[in-house]
Amino acid sequence: MSVEPETARVIGFHRPALPWLVLAFIAAAAIGVPLLAGQQVADFSAALHPPGPEHLAGTDHSGYDLLVRTAEGLRVSLLIAVVCAVATAVLGVAIGVGAALVGGWVDAVVMRLVDGFNALPHLVVGIVIAAMWRGAPLAIIASIALTHWPAVARVVRAELLAVAEAGWVHTSRLAGASRWFVARRHLLPAVTGQALIAMIMLLPHAVWHESTLSFLGVGLSPDQASLGTLLSQARGDVLTGAWWTLVFPAAALIATALAFSAAGAAVRRRHQPPTGRVW
């Protein structure tokens, strides 16, 4: 059965604002909960208390309120993810635009480099880079940005090459427009939407990679709260029956990644040409 786009929006099949509302709630919780709770002090006498009226999400092995600790870790993971996504998008757009505009052997060499980077296992390369400066947030950002830019560069280059063959671009060139004018007025604006989509779609990857690196012990140091360090610490606590130390950070990680993915899909649908029907 097919549903017309206007009908789909009326009956609620399309809710593009929902992922953004969820992300706004997650960001507000990551910022507001630690501020409202204030500075926490380790209390080993209250360690690994199950969820209850005093501690809604229980406590961890140091006696910290796990809800506050999860919000602090979420704040760090979100900040690192945003910086990683922006850095990756900027690097990928710069390389893709440069390759497409210069063309020739430069374009061919850049594309072979892209193929070479894509052939490398991202997680293994990320572990090697992060392990060289263990515990440094900049190392985590570099490990993600340096392994994810090829996808952005390839998409941007393909979009530029497609726009370059459009009729209005040929008309502008025949009218005597310079290469810089064509690039500034026609080509570069065409990749803005693709760059935005790429940056948003990179956010869940950045969250997962930061959490994975910290979970494996090559990311942030254990004293720095992030979703990865909380999950890493939960490995031993779960064996003692403290299931909540794993459930709440994992739920925050999954909810954040799904919200980012849904937001990226909504932006991508918005920039796609309308088909007239929704299946």
Side-chain angles (χ1 to χ4, degrees):
M1 183 182 70
S2 62
V3 181
E4 296 300 329
E6 289 298 327
T7 306
R9 281 193 286 270
V10 170
I11 64 179
F13 287 174
H14 286 195
R15 290 189 175 90
L18 182 59
W20 300 106
L21 293 176
V22 174
L23 287 176
F25 174 79
I26 291 174
I31 297 173
V33 171
L35 291 178
L36 293 175
Q39 183 67 32
Q40 289 202 96
V41 179
D43 184 6
F44 293 100
S45 63
L48 298 180
H49 282 190
E54 186 176 359
H55 302 285
L56 298 179
T59 61
D60 62 6
H61 64 279
S62 298
Y64 292 117
D65 187 287
L66 189 59
L67 182 62
V68 179
R69 194 71 169 163
T70 301
E72 293 174 347
L74 183 59
R75 180 176 58 187
V76 173
S77 295
L78 286 177
L79 179 60
I80 292 178
V82 170
V83 175
C84 287
V86 172
T88 304
V90 170
L91 182 60
V93 168
I95 295 176
V97 169
L101 294 182
V102 176
W105 66 269
V106 174
D107 184 32
V109 171
V110 170
M111 287 302 100
R112 300 296 75 76
L113 289 176
V114 168
D115 293 337
F117 271 92
N118 280 330
L120 299 174
H122 292 174
L123 183 57
V124 175
V125 176
I127 291 174
V128 172
I129 296 175
M132 295 174 65
W133 297 277
R134 183 173 298 182
L138 185 60
I140 299 177
I141 296 171
S143 67
I144 298 174
L146 293 177
T147 54
H148 287 75
W149 67 266
V152 181
R154 184 178 291 278
V155 170
V156 169
R157 172 184 174 273
E159 185 70 17
L160 277 179
L161 293 179
V163 174
E165 299 300 323
W168 66 84
V169 176
H170 286 296
T171 302
S172 180
R173 288 172 176 166
L174 290 175
S178 64
R179 175 178 293 187
W180 167 245
F181 179 87
V182 172
R184 180 170 54 88
R185 293 295 298 272
H186 299 298
L187 300 182
L188 296 182
V191 303
T192 303
Q194 293 295 334
L196 178 62
I197 295 173
M199 186 176 67
I200 296 177
M201 295 301 293
L202 280 167
L203 288 171
H205 290 281
V207 172
W208 282 114
H209 274 257
E210 182 280 322
S211 301
T212 302
L213 293 174
S214 298
F215 178 80
L216 295 175
V218 295
L220 298 177
S221 59
D223 62 299
Q224 294 179 288
S226 77
L227 295 180
T229 57
L230 292 178
L231 292 173
S232 179
Q233 294 169 2
R235 286 183 297 181
D237 297 335
V238 169
L239 298 178
T240 65
W243 53 268
W244 57 90
T245 60
L246 175 65
V247 169
F248 289 101
L253 173 61
I254 294 173
T256 303
L258 290 178
F260 275 133
S261 299
V267 174
R268 182 168 55 188
R269 286 195 301 268
R270 185 172 182 177
H271 283 80
Q272 285 178 343
T275 59
R277 306 186 73 84
V278 179
W279 294 90

